[in-house]
Amino acid sequence: MMKLNQWLIQRKLNPKRVYLALLALFALVFLIVLIVLTTTQDDDKIYLVENAEIRTGPNAGYPVVYNVQKGDTFKVLSRSGKWLEVISSKNHQKGWIAGWHTNLDIKEDVNPDLKPLKNKTIVLDPGHGGKDNGASSQTAKNSHEKDITLKTGLELKKMLEKEGAKVVMTRKDDTFVSLEDRKAKGDAFISIHNDALASQNANGATVYYFHKKQAPLAKTLNASIQKKVLLSDRGARQEDYQVLRQTKKPAVLLELGYISNPTDEILMNDQNHRYIVETAIVDGLKNYFLYE
Ligand SMILES: [Zn+2]
């Protein structure tokens, strides 16, 4: 210390002043670090202003994972529209929450009377038709895929129109339409099919997309179908189908059960079952357009 004082005095510096200046500098750096630390922590830590639900995806169509209480805190991992992907401070579980339940300034602009499908154009594409039966069942019923997809399409059309949507059909009757002609301008494109395999065991519903930006619609519709429908969950999957590839719009290809599975075949021929499937599709589309 004495040596340092002497060294400073030799350089005509007042040791007291030098120490004070150093002290002030340290204090300033400490303060800056403190401010940076606290503000970054506030940025991704949020709390709930009311009780809410954590869901598996970023809209109300996804299933609830667990319920959370007012005051619970979370770290934000990502954001999709007005929804936040969070991890709970309490149990470290991940999930999605609507931003308007949190302390963040996110407004729920959704009026429950609002019809999110109003004036949206939905293209419905009942698979196969005419000379192309699609898949057929092996049972005495001998169901053809082309008949079931048309029934589903026509029933879905009526339900979507009730929601204020405009519906364009790629076919309205038992006619053959080529794959390249299965396109029309719209806000979403839904191709309707039934699966088949040589084995009778395969069953369930699959929702296909091709372009990456079609994935959110596929996941939303798959979640909605699984919430309501009695078909096992084969998930939302990416596949290079021409009708999906040839459109840049949100588009999905629905495989609504296996016509080769006797149980699925009974279901798809049952109007009540189809009504539940169609309701799930309408609900999924509403959720998708509500938060897009
Ligand atoms: Zn098909």
Side-chain angles (χ1 to χ4, degrees), residues 127-128 134-135 145 149 192-195 253 255:
H128 314 279
E145 183 185 357
T149 60
I192 303 159
H193 287 258
N194 299 111
D195 245 325
L253 188 146
E255 294 280 10

mmCIF file of all heavy atoms in Angstrom, residues 127-128 134-135 145 149 192-195 253 255, ligand 1:
data_model
loop_
_atom_site.group_PDB
_atom_site.id
_atom_site.type_symbol
_atom_site.label_atom_id
_atom_site.label_comp_id
_atom_site.label_asym_id
_atom_site.label_seq_id
_atom_site.Cartn_x
_atom_site.Cartn_y
_atom_site.Cartn_z
ATOM 1 N N GLY A 127 -61.935 -36.966 -51.462
ATOM 2 C CA GLY A 127 -61.002 -37.774 -52.238
ATOM 3 C C GLY A 127 -61.698 -38.709 -53.225
ATOM 4 O O GLY A 127 -62.820 -39.151 -53.000
ATOM 5 N N HIS A 128 -60.990 -38.979 -54.350
ATOM 6 C CA HIS A 128 -61.431 -39.967 -55.354
ATOM 7 C C HIS A 128 -62.753 -39.555 -56.020
ATOM 8 O O HIS A 128 -63.083 -38.386 -56.014
ATOM 9 C CB HIS A 128 -61.463 -41.370 -54.731
ATOM 10 C CG HIS A 128 -60.208 -41.643 -53.930
ATOM 11 N ND1 HIS A 128 -59.033 -42.027 -54.526
ATOM 12 C CD2 HIS A 128 -59.937 -41.484 -52.603
ATOM 13 C CE1 HIS A 128 -58.088 -42.129 -53.592
ATOM 14 N NE2 HIS A 128 -58.604 -41.805 -52.415
ATOM 15 N N GLY A 134 -61.219 -45.214 -54.871
ATOM 16 C CA GLY A 134 -60.370 -45.098 -53.690
ATOM 17 C C GLY A 134 -60.231 -46.468 -53.071
ATOM 18 O O GLY A 134 -60.323 -47.484 -53.768
ATOM 19 N N ALA A 135 -60.043 -46.524 -51.775
ATOM 20 C CA ALA A 135 -59.929 -47.819 -51.098
ATOM 21 C C ALA A 135 -61.317 -48.397 -50.874
ATOM 22 O O ALA A 135 -62.303 -47.651 -50.832
ATOM 23 C CB ALA A 135 -59.211 -47.640 -49.770
ATOM 24 N N GLU A 145 -64.322 -45.797 -50.511
ATOM 25 C CA GLU A 145 -63.804 -44.543 -49.941
ATOM 26 C C GLU A 145 -64.461 -43.324 -50.606
ATOM 27 O O GLU A 145 -64.837 -42.367 -49.937
ATOM 28 C CB GLU A 145 -62.278 -44.489 -50.119
ATOM 29 C CG GLU A 145 -61.633 -43.259 -49.510
ATOM 30 C CD GLU A 145 -60.142 -43.181 -49.809
ATOM 31 O OE1 GLU A 145 -59.607 -44.117 -50.432
ATOM 32 O OE2 GLU A 145 -59.522 -42.179 -49.420
ATOM 33 N N THR A 149 -66.056 -40.186 -48.459
ATOM 34 C CA THR A 149 -65.435 -38.856 -48.498
ATOM 35 C C THR A 149 -66.421 -37.814 -49.034
ATOM 36 O O THR A 149 -66.434 -36.675 -48.565
ATOM 37 C CB THR A 149 -64.157 -38.854 -49.366
ATOM 38 O OG1 THR A 149 -64.481 -39.225 -50.704
ATOM 39 C CG2 THR A 149 -63.102 -39.780 -48.807
ATOM 40 N N ILE A 192 -60.231 -34.815 -48.021
ATOM 41 C CA ILE A 192 -60.870 -35.810 -47.141
ATOM 42 C C ILE A 192 -60.648 -37.216 -47.710
ATOM 43 O O ILE A 192 -60.997 -37.484 -48.869
ATOM 44 C CB ILE A 192 -62.381 -35.511 -47.017
ATOM 45 C CG1 ILE A 192 -62.593 -34.080 -46.482
ATOM 46 C CG2 ILE A 192 -63.063 -36.535 -46.131
ATOM 47 C CD1 ILE A 192 -63.967 -33.516 -46.797
ATOM 48 N N HIS A 193 -60.089 -38.087 -46.883
ATOM 49 C CA HIS A 193 -59.802 -39.453 -47.325
ATOM 50 C C HIS A 193 -60.066 -40.459 -46.207
ATOM 51 O O HIS A 193 -60.259 -40.086 -45.039
ATOM 52 C CB HIS A 193 -58.328 -39.587 -47.747
ATOM 53 C CG HIS A 193 -58.031 -38.918 -49.045
ATOM 54 N ND1 HIS A 193 -57.900 -39.605 -50.224
ATOM 55 C CD2 HIS A 193 -57.867 -37.597 -49.337
ATOM 56 C CE1 HIS A 193 -57.656 -38.749 -51.205
ATOM 57 N NE2 HIS A 193 -57.626 -37.524 -50.692
ATOM 58 N N ASN A 194 -60.040 -41.734 -46.580
ATOM 59 C CA ASN A 194 -60.011 -42.827 -45.612
ATOM 60 C C ASN A 194 -58.834 -43.708 -45.972
ATOM 61 O O ASN A 194 -58.558 -43.921 -47.147
ATOM 62 C CB ASN A 194 -61.312 -43.633 -45.657
ATOM 63 C CG ASN A 194 -62.513 -42.775 -45.324
ATOM 64 O OD1 ASN A 194 -63.342 -42.497 -46.167
ATOM 65 N ND2 ASN A 194 -62.588 -42.323 -44.090
ATOM 66 N N ASP A 195 -58.159 -44.197 -44.946
ATOM 67 C CA ASP A 195 -56.969 -45.016 -45.127
ATOM 68 C C ASP A 195 -57.338 -46.462 -45.432
ATOM 69 O O ASP A 195 -58.478 -46.881 -45.211
ATOM 70 C CB ASP A 195 -56.149 -44.999 -43.817
ATOM 71 C CG ASP A 195 -54.807 -44.323 -44.021
ATOM 72 O OD1 ASP A 195 -54.259 -44.479 -45.119
ATOM 73 O OD2 ASP A 195 -54.321 -43.663 -43.087
ATOM 74 N N LEU A 253 -54.472 -33.050 -45.424
ATOM 75 C CA LEU A 253 -55.152 -34.222 -45.961
ATOM 76 C C LEU A 253 -55.540 -35.081 -44.762
ATOM 77 O O LEU A 253 -54.684 -35.494 -43.985
ATOM 78 C CB LEU A 253 -54.233 -34.979 -46.934
ATOM 79 C CG LEU A 253 -54.885 -36.126 -47.704
ATOM 80 C CD1 LEU A 253 -54.299 -36.237 -49.106
ATOM 81 C CD2 LEU A 253 -54.754 -37.460 -46.979
ATOM 82 N N GLU A 255 -57.020 -38.368 -43.099
ATOM 83 C CA GLU A 255 -57.340 -39.790 -43.256
ATOM 84 C C GLU A 255 -58.219 -40.129 -42.058
ATOM 85 O O GLU A 255 -57.734 -40.346 -40.951
ATOM 86 C CB GLU A 255 -56.066 -40.646 -43.258
ATOM 87 C CG GLU A 255 -55.153 -40.407 -44.463
ATOM 88 C CD GLU A 255 -55.595 -41.121 -45.742
ATOM 89 O OE1 GLU A 255 -56.709 -41.668 -45.782
ATOM 90 O OE2 GLU A 255 -54.800 -41.132 -46.702
HETATM 91 ZN ZN ZN B 1 -57.812 -41.714 -50.504
#
